[in-house]
């Protein structure tokens, strides 16, 4: 920098010296240093032409000044005369002026007196040397004679330093001065124009002044440039450079104009030569030409001096600008490198799983790719600085350290990235090893769990299982962890405390699994090595029957009534089964611990998957909210948003932020608390089940979000956000994540429940699974519900949506009862039904065009039925998929055909529950009124006919049954029902094993506002008309009516209460006790029924004959719906209202 300043000072000093020389030379050329008088100053005096310098020369080169005949010569003021003389004598060169001037005074037309006065005036005031004075005396005779005499007598008056010669004629003048040096008025041939001479003199002097002023201006400009302080920023430096360049351009333009002016003057001087090459210039013209050429040379010298200075000054400014750019880029690049260094310092995590390590490695690669631009820019800037140094920049001392610092930062960052990559690769390698080991352990556990214990009891089975185990253990060399110390040594740089614990857990799992294999190997080797002993037949001892697992006198008494053959048949299989079970228990006892350990490992595996996917899910939600939703409010991104996306963030993202906060702040943290007891995780779901309702709101908004996305998916905003996030998938894939997540929970809960059946939290898991499935159903139903159009009321007033689905519907609207089965031949309508707690809606489904959610159907509302006036007939003869919904005592009948029998059963069951709840409300209201009447009225004399008979007992029973409204125990009235035969006609069964048919009798008018109808269905009602309505009789079967009143009771699936003990069950038969609650599941071959004992949690096959005996005194919901006893009809026909039914046998039918 100091060197550059010295150089610039030297350049300025040199330019100033040269420009001062130009000014001095210009003054010398124009003799301004001697006589600072210009033609422009005395232009009017020169125009009088009383004297002029024609350019002629004497024989010795003396300049000739001519005084032409000027009558008013005497009137010229002395000042003007003196100025003109001074100016004319200053024009010739100093050399010519030193020889002396020749004055030619033409007074041929004048008088002698004037001649004398003119000569005397000239002689007295001539400012230069005189060589000769030639006077052309008057031509008149008298004046000439007079002048001769006067000159002789007055010679002394004309004594001058030079001689004065009186000439009588022009030819005499030619003897002194050649004709070529005289103008035409003196008989010469010299071409002289006074106007042109005056123009040339004025132009030359103006040009000389321009040259001088230009030199002075450039001198001042150079000083200004040299004294300008260099700015410290790019903008100011650029401004200074532009300003100086503009001034330089203006100065150059002035010099160009001056040069043009000089060239024009030079051409004007040479104009005579251009017109006639034979003509030559006189001496004054040659002097003018020389003067202009010298001035042009001085001007060129001035321009050269300035250009040399400007080149250095411009180089200084440009290098200063380069330096400022370099310094600004250096600050920016260094700041970006510092940011990169801070970011790379945050890459300390090595991952807690293989997927996490891969994700971190991908993030590092992405980060490295994004940071490569900054690193490359830093390296390029360093090379740029080196180039400036090579070009001999004045600020080398400032540039070189910055280049070194940039190279150091780049190398340091590259090394840091390489180190992080090495650690992540190590982590990836370790997690791959751990994953392989865990996978190997899981496969081993699955292998142990899949080996059937019963087949391993034989020698061949044991050997085959042993071979499987040995073959599997051979694969451990590639998959399992060999040496734990070697792992510690090889992966020491990445072994954090958590990862170290994880390695230890995996190794412990591996050791546990290997120990399980070794124990299984030992057991199988014993089984494979033992010799099978022959089995000796042994006759059964008489007391064998007394060793029944559940001895009961009732069962023994029942067995004595059977034939000895039947007893033998039963005892044989039972003994064999008992023997096999005993051996099986012995074989399984050794593997029970292994199986429990395997299940615990599987539970942990499911829990890990739940937690890992939950963390990823929360990360993805945060990514979408920060990378997309937040960017919609970013002013820098607003220009990328289309008009259709303005203020539509809530439509596009719904309540995703609410979902994120729930999972991130609450649910994920609570899940982590169950990592050591995964079987109890169901409690976590149950505690937060209400919060999961937020998904319903999200799913309801999804069609709007999907529609908006399809309209604006090509928006540059989404593309820019996706590019910033480095997502391979577009936003719509991430908007689907909440829908996918809520469906994922039920799968994970099913898996957890599968491995936790005998654990403490199994019930919570089952309940959580049911609740999640309920939420999914509610979400799905709500998606359909919001598509209903044309309904005038508020759908929320109809109560909770219970079911929805598409059906074929036949309708009949008429008074009275007709054969509804005749309507089946008409073409059905396709209707979508929505079952609410208070009404059922009939809608027409309309498919929409479009894609995705835009193709979702809509539902046009047609009609609705109030559930308080609805009844159902569960079975329609001829089609197991049909059922009836009738309205207002069958004034309107709707035959509904479901797609499958299962869907029909589900709908019938749900409608039955609604009607049952209404009946329950009516009965409780009736019971309440009966209590009030019993307290206010006296008891009747006869207990057999009193409506309030047994009221206190009924109230007690009612209170007891509130805890179990579905129990059938105690529902038997005091009137004995007819005993059904052993074999009865079976009615159609419903797949819903939990349906309770006694609950279907519901009252459409709660609190008993209407009485029970006393009429029964006509005999012509359709077959299998299991009708239910609170406006009809509670026990009412059209099947029984068609078969002529009382018939054999049908045995149908349902729940029953056992009234007779039977503990003599065989290997495949079920042992039950009186009071047990059982469920009749289905009918098998050869008159056997599959029965599940709900009290003992056991199940088995029971002959129909035995089952009829066991259930002879009990009633079930299915029996109440499918067969009607005459006694039951009589009992119901005697009751005319809910209040009356409370006192009779119907009062036992609570629940």
């Amino acid at each position: 920098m100091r060197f550059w300043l010295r150089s610039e000072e030297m350049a300025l000093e040199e330019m100033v010296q040269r420009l001062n020389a130009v000014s001095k030379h210009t003054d010398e050329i124009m003799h301004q240093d001697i006589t600072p008088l210009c033609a422009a100053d005395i232009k009017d005096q020169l125009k009088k032409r009383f004297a002029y310098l024609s350019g002629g020369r004497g024989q010795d080169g003396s300049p000739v000044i001519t005084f032409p005949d000027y009558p008013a010569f005497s009137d010229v003021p002395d000042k003007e005369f003196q100025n003109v003389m001074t100016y004319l004598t200053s024009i010739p060169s100093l050399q010519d002026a030193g020889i002396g001037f020749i004055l030619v005074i033409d007074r041929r037309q004048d008088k002698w007196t004037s001649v004398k006065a003119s000569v005397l005036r000239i002689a007295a005031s001539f400012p230069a040397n005189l060589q000769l004075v030639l006077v052309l005396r008057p031509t008149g005779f008298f004046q000439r004679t007079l002048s001769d005499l006067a000159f002789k007598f007055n010679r002394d008056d004309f004594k001058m330093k030079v001689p004065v010669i009186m000439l009588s004629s022009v030819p005499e003048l030619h003897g002194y001065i050649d004709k070529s040096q005289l103008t035409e008025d003196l008989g010469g041939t010299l071409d002289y124009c006074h106007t042109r001479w005056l123009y040339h003199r004025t132009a030359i002097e103006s040009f000389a002044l321009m040259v001088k002023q230009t030199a002075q201006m450039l001198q001042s400009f150079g000083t200004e440039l040299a004294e300008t302080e260099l700015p410290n920023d790019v903008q100011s430096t650029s401004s200074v450079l532009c300003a100086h360049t503009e001034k330089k351009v203006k100065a150059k333009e002035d010099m160009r104009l001056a040069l043009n002016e000089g060239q024009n003057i030079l051409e004007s001087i040479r104009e005579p030569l251009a017109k006639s090459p034979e003509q030559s210039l006189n001496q004054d013209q040659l002097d003018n030409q020389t003067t202009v050429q010298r001035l042009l040379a001085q001007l060129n010298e001035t321009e050269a001096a300035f250009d040399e200075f400007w080149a250095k000054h411009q180089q200084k400014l440009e290098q200063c600008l380069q330096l400022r750019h370099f310094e600004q880029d250096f600050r920016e690049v260094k700041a970006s490198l510092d940011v990169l260094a801070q970011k790379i310092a945050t890459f300390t995590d090595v991952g807690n799983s293989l997927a996490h390590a891969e994700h971190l490695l991908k993030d590092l690669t992405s980060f490295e790719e994004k940071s490569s631009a900054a690193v490359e820019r830093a390296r390029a800037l360093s090379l740029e600085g080196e180039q400036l140094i090579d070009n001999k920049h004045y600020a080398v001392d400032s540039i070189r350290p910055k280049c070194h610092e940039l190279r150091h930062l780049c190398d340091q960052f590259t090394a840091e990235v390489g180190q992080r990559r090495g650690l992540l690769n190590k982590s990836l390698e370790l997690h791959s090893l751990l994953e392989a080991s865990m996978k190997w352990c899981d496969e081993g556990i699955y292998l142990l769990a899949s080996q059937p214990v019963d087949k391993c009891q034989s020698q061949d089975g044991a050997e085959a299982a042993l071979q499987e185990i040995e073959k599997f253990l051979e694969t451990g060399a590639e998959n399992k962890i060999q040496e734990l110390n070697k792992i510690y040594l090889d992966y020491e740089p990445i072994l954090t405390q958590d990862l170290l614990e994880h390695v230890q857990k995996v190794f412990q799992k591996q050791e546990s699994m290997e120990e399980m294999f070794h124990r299984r190997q030992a057991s199988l080797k014993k089984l494979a090595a033992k010799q099978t002993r022959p089995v000796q037949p042994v006759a059964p001892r008489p007391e064998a029957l007394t060793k029944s697992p559940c001895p009961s006198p009732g069962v023994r008494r029942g067995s004595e009534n059977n034939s000895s053959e039947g007893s033998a048949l039963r005892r044989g299989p039972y003994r064999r089964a008992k023997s096999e079970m005993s051996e099986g228990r012995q074989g399984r006892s050794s593997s029970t611990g292994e199986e429990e350990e395997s299940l615990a490992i599987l539970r942990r595996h499911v829990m890990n998957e739940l937690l890992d996917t939950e963390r990823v899910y929360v990360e993805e939600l945060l990514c979408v909210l920060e990378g997309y939703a937040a960017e919609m409010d970013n002013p820098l991104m607003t220009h990328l948003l289309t008009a259709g996306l303005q203020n539509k963030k809530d439509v596009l993202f719904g309540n995703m932020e609410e979902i994120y906060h729930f999972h991130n702040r609450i649910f994920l943290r609570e899940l982590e608390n169950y990592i050591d007891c995964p079987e109890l995780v169901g409690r976590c779901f149950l505690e937060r089940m209400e919060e999961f309702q937020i998904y319903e709101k999200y799913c309801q908004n999804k069609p709007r979000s999907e529609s908006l996305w399809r309209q604006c998916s090509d928006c540059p905003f989404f593309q820019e956000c996706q590019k910033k996030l480095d997502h391979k998938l577009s936003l719509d894939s991430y908007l689907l994540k909440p829908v996918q997540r809520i469906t994922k929970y039920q799968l994970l809960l099913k898996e957890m429940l599968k491995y936790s059946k005998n654990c403490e939290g199994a019930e919570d898991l089952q309940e959580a699974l049911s609740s999640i499935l309920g939420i999914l159903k509610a979400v799905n139903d709500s998606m359909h519900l919001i598509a209903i159009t044309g309904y005038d009321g508020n759908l929320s007033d109809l109560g909770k949506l219970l079911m929805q689905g598409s059906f074929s519907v036949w309708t009949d609207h008429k008074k009275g009862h007709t054969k509804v089965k005749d309507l089946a031949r008409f073409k059905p309508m396709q209707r979508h039904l929505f079952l609410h707690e208070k009404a059922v809606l009939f809608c027409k489904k309309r498919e929409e065009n479009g894609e995705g959610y835009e193709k979702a159907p809509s539902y046009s509302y047609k009609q609705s039925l109030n559930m308080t006036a609805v009844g159902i007939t569960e079975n329609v003869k001829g089609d197991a998929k049909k059922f009836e919904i009738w309205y207002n005592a069958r004034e309107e009948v709707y035959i509904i055909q479901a797609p499958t029998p299962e869907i029909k059963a589900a709908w019938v069951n749900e409608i039955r529950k609604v009607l049952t709840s209404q009946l329950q409300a009516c009965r409780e209201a009736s019971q309440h009124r009966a209590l009030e009447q019993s307290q206010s009225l006296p008891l009747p004399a006869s207990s057999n006919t009193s409506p309030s008979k047994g009221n206190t007992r009924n109230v007690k029973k009612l209170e007891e049954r509130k805890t179990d409204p579905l129990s059938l125990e105690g529902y038997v009235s005091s009137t004995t029902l007819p005993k059904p035969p052993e074999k009865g006609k079976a009615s159609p069964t419903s797949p819903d094993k939990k349906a309770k048919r006694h609950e279907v009798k519901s009252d459409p008018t709660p609190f008993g506002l209407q009485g029970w109808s006393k009429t029964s269905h006509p005999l012509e009602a359709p077959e299998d008309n299991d009708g239910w309505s609170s406006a009809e009789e509670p026990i009412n079967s059209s099947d029984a009516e068609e078969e002529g009143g009382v018939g054999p009771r049908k045995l149908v699936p349902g729940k029953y209460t056992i009234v007779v003990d039977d503990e003599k069950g065989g290997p495949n038969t079920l042992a039950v006790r009186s009071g047990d609650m059982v469920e009749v599941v289905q009918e098998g071959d050869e008159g056997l029924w599959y029965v599940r004992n709900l009290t003992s949690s056991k199940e088995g096959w029971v002959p129909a004959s035995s089952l009829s005996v066991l259930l002879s005194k009990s009633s079930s919901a299915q029996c109440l719906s499918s067969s009607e006893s005459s006694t039951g009809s009589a009992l119901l026909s005697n009751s005319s209202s809910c209040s009356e039914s409370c006192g009779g046998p119907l009062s036992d039918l609570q629940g």
Side-chain angles (χ1 to χ4, degrees), residues 306-323:
F306 176 75
D307 287 345
E308 184 177 348
F309 170 77
W310 171 255
K312 294 182 179 180
H313 181 72
Q314 184 182 26
Q315 182 184 9
K316 180 190 74 170
L317 289 179
E318 289 178 348
Q319 288 188 352
C320 178
L321 185 61
Q322 291 173 350
L323 177 63

Side-chain angles (χ1 to χ4, degrees), residues 942-984:
S942 175
S943 62
N944 294 330
T945 60
S946 173
S948 58
K949 177 183 178 181
N951 194 50
T952 305
R953 177 177 55 84
N954 291 333
V955 173
K956 184 177 180 180
K957 287 185 178 181
L958 178 62
E959 294 299 328
E960 292 174 353
R961 290 187 189 121
K962 284 183 179 179
T963 59
D964 187 11
L966 302 182
S967 174
L968 297 178
E969 186 176 359
Y971 275 22
V972 181
S973 64
S974 58
T975 305
T976 304
L977 295 175
K979 181 177 179 181
E982 292 183 358
K983 293 184 180 180

Side-chain angles (χ1 to χ4, degrees), residues 654-796:
N655 62 330
M656 180 181 284
E657 185 174 359
E658 183 182 6
I659 294 174
Y660 165 73
H661 287 314
F662 163 63
H663 284 272
N664 183 52
R665 298 174 180 174
I666 300 174
F667 193 62
L668 176 58
R669 298 180 182 179
E670 292 184 358
L671 279 180
E672 291 172 345
N673 295 332
Y674 290 88
I675 191 169
D676 295 327
C677 47
E679 65 276 2
L680 303 180
V681 77
R683 300 175 183 175
C684 182
F685 281 90
L686 292 177
E687 290 173 356
R688 296 299 172 185
M689 199 54 64
E690 289 186 5
E691 281 88 340
F692 278 104
Q693 302 297 329
I694 57 179
Y695 279 91
E696 186 171 345
K697 180 179 178 182
Y698 184 85
C699 293
Q700 288 176 351
N701 180 69
K702 197 68 175 72
R704 298 174 62 208
S705 173
E706 182 75 9
S707 177
L708 180 61
W709 166 256
R710 291 189 179 279
Q711 295 173 16
C712 307
S713 59
D714 296 333
C715 178
F717 170 80
F718 295 125
Q719 299 172 4
E720 181 66 21
C721 291
Q722 183 177 351
K723 182 179 179 182
K724 285 183 179 180
L725 295 171
D726 195 23
H727 282 176
K728 293 182 180 179
L729 300 177
S730 54
L731 174 61
D732 59 326
S733 300
Y734 291 92
L735 293 177
L736 198 60
K737 294 292 183 181
V739 181
Q740 295 172 337
R741 186 58 183 171
I742 191 64
T743 57
K744 177 72 173 177
Y745 286 130
Q746 56 101 5
L747 299 177
L748 293 171
L749 286 172
K750 285 180 181 177
E751 283 293 306
M752 185 65 76
L753 182 61
K754 178 181 176 182
Y755 306 129
S756 309
K757 290 184 178 179
N758 298 324
C759 296
E760 177 185 351
E763 293 182 0
D764 291 337
L765 286 171
Q766 182 62 57
E767 186 177 352
L769 175 60
S770 301
S771 300
I772 286 291
L773 292 174
I775 288 177
L776 291 177
K777 180 181 179 300
V779 168
N780 183 55
D781 291 345
S782 66
M783 296 294 289
H784 292 272
L785 193 61
I786 62 175
I788 296 178
T789 60
Y791 184 74
D792 295 334
N794 189 350
L795 290 173
S796 60

Side-chain angles (χ1 to χ4, degrees), residues 606-618:
V606 176
M607 190 65 194
N608 289 336
E609 182 181 358
L610 175 59
L611 281 172
D612 291 343
T613 54
E614 184 73 13
R615 294 188 184 104
V616 173
Y617 174 56
V618 170

Side-chain angles (χ1 to χ4, degrees), residues 417-460:
V417 171
Q419 181 182 1
R420 299 295 178 187
R421 184 182 300 279
L423 293 177
L424 287 177
N425 284 329
K426 277 282 188 182
S427 175
L428 195 65
E429 182 180 338
L430 176 59
H431 282 295
S432 298
L433 180 60
L434 296 177
E435 287 283 342
S437 177
M438 292 176 66
K439 183 179 179 182
W440 183 67
C441 293
D442 291 341
E443 290 176 354
I445 294 170
Y446 278 117
L447 175 62
L448 294 178
S450 62
Q451 287 184 340
V453 179
D454 52 349
K455 292 185 179 179
C456 295
Q457 302 304 314
S458 65
Q459 185 174 4
D460 294 339

